[in-house]
Amino acid sequence: MKTAIVTGGSGGIGSAICRMLAENNYFVYVNYSSSKEKAIKLAEEIHGSAIKFDISDREQVNNAINSIGQVDLLINNAGISEINTFDSVSPEKADRILNINLKGTLNCSRAVIPDMIHRKSGVIINISSIWGQCGASCEVDYSASKAGVIGFTKALAKELAPSGIRINCIAPGFIMTDMNSNFSESDLQLIKNDIPLGIFGTPQDIANAVMFFASEKSSFITGQILGVNGGMNI
Ligand code: NAP
C-alpha cells in the first residue's frame, strides 16, 4: 500500500482528495493545523491517520514527516485566502498568506524529497489557483503566492525528473468550499456568468485531477499546470 500526505486534508478540497486516494488504496495522512475533530473523523472514515502540523513551520513539518517515514505521494493542498485591497491587508496577514501558501508548499516538499531521491520514485502535486495564472483584484497576496507555486512546480520538476520524481500542479477555478462561503448570492451569480460551462466546480473535480497526476496514467507528464476551471481561463 502506498502512503500519501494531504496537507489541509480536512478542508473542502482536501477531504475529497483524501477520500479519493483512500478509495484507490493509499494509506492517507490527513494533515490539519487547527481542525482536529474534522481531521480525526475523516481519518477514521478512510482508515488513515490524522497528523497535526503547521506547514509554515519548518521544524513541525520535518518532525511530522520524519515520524511518517516513506512518503510516496505528497499533495500540497493547504492554503488560506483574504479578500481585501492590497494596501488594506495587514503585514502580518500578508506574511501569513505567503508563509502558508508558498513557503508551506516548499517546506513540505523539502521534507519528503531526500527519501524520494534515494528511492528514485515519488509524486508531488501542488494545488495552485486560477488566480496564480491570471491574477485577481483584491487577492493580490494570494495571487502572488499561487503564482509562486506554479514557478516552483516547473523548476522543481526539471530538477527532479532525472531522479524519477514527477511534480505537477492543479489550478482550480471557483470551487464551492468554505473558502468561498463569504460571497453573496449576487456575487456568486456574477462569478458564474464568467464561467463558460456555467457551473461551479466541486472538490470532487479537483480530486479527479489529483488522481490522474498520482497514477501511472500520467507517467510521462511532469512540470505541468492543469486548469480545472470550467473554461474560466483558456
Ligand atoms: P478550505 O476548505 O478552507 O481548506 C483549507 C485547508 O487548509 C484547511 O483544511 C486548513 O486546515 C488548511 N490549512 C490552513 N492553514 C494551514 C497551515 N498553516 N498548516 C496546515 N494546514 C493549513 O479551502 P479549500 O477551498 O479546500 O482550498 C484548498 C486549496 O485549494 C487551497 O490551497 C486553496 O488556495 C486552493 N484553491 C481553492 C479554490 C476554491 O475556489 N475553493 C480555488 C482555487 C484554489 P485547518 O483548518 O486545520 O487549519
Side-chain angles (χ1 to χ4, degrees), residues 6-209:
V6 182
T7 68
S10 58
I13 291 174
S15 55
I17 295 172
C18 290
R19 288 192 178 97
M20 172 69 90
L21 292 173
E23 280 164 20
N24 284 275
N25 293 324
Y26 280 84
F27 184 89
V28 181
Y29 284 88
V30 181
N31 159 252
Y32 67 97
S33 66
S34 58
S35 302
K36 183 177 178 183
E37 279 168 27
K38 270 201 216 168
I40 289 176
K41 200 168 163 227
L42 176 63
E44 280 172 4
E45 176 196 321
I46 63 172
H47 305 294
S49 183
I51 185 160
K52 177 179 164 69
F53 58 91
D54 177 342
I55 63 165
S56 67
D57 182 324
R58 230 166 136 167
E59 200 180 325
Q60 284 187 37
V61 170
N62 289 339
N63 289 341
I65 288 176
N66 285 339
S67 76
I68 291 174
Q70 180 171 320
V71 176
D72 300 291
L73 172 64
L74 167 66
I75 315 291
N76 283 309
N77 162 75
I80 59 168
S81 67
E82 162 93 352
I83 298 184
N84 214 334
T85 55
F86 182 54
D87 59 352
S88 305
V89 178
S90 71
E92 295 74 24
K93 184 76 191 196
D95 284 350
R96 191 128 182 83
I97 291 170
L98 279 172
N99 286 340
I100 292 175
N101 295 3
L102 180 55
K103 280 168 114 181
T105 297
L106 272 62
N107 289 340
C108 296
S109 303
R110 266 206 185 89
V112 300
I113 280 167
D115 184 56
M116 287 183 175
I117 292 175
H118 178 69
R119 290 184 292 109
K120 285 200 161 292
S121 160
V123 173
I124 298 176
I125 301 168
N126 299 321
I127 307 298
S128 175
S129 165
I130 189 172
W131 303 134
Q133 298 175 299
C134 304
S137 164
C138 297
E139 286 191 83
V140 174
D141 296 287
Y142 179 79
S143 299
S145 71
K146 293 295 188 176
V149 169
I150 290 173
F152 167 67
T153 301
K154 293 180 179 182
L156 195 66
K158 283 184 183 168
E159 189 169 309
L160 295 186
S163 299
I165 300 164
R166 293 188 301 111
I167 296 138
N168 286 295
C169 176
I170 295 163
F174 196 94
I175 310 295
M176 285 310 286
T177 68
D178 283 353
M179 191 170 266
N180 293 321
S181 57
N182 289 332
F183 286 101
S184 66
E185 277 305 315
S186 58
D187 283 345
L188 289 175
Q189 193 53 53
L190 285 174
I191 295 166
K192 205 182 258 183
N193 293 344
D194 282 340
I195 304 174
L197 283 180
I199 47 173
F200 294 128
T202 66
Q204 191 63 36
D205 292 319
I206 306 306
N208 289 337

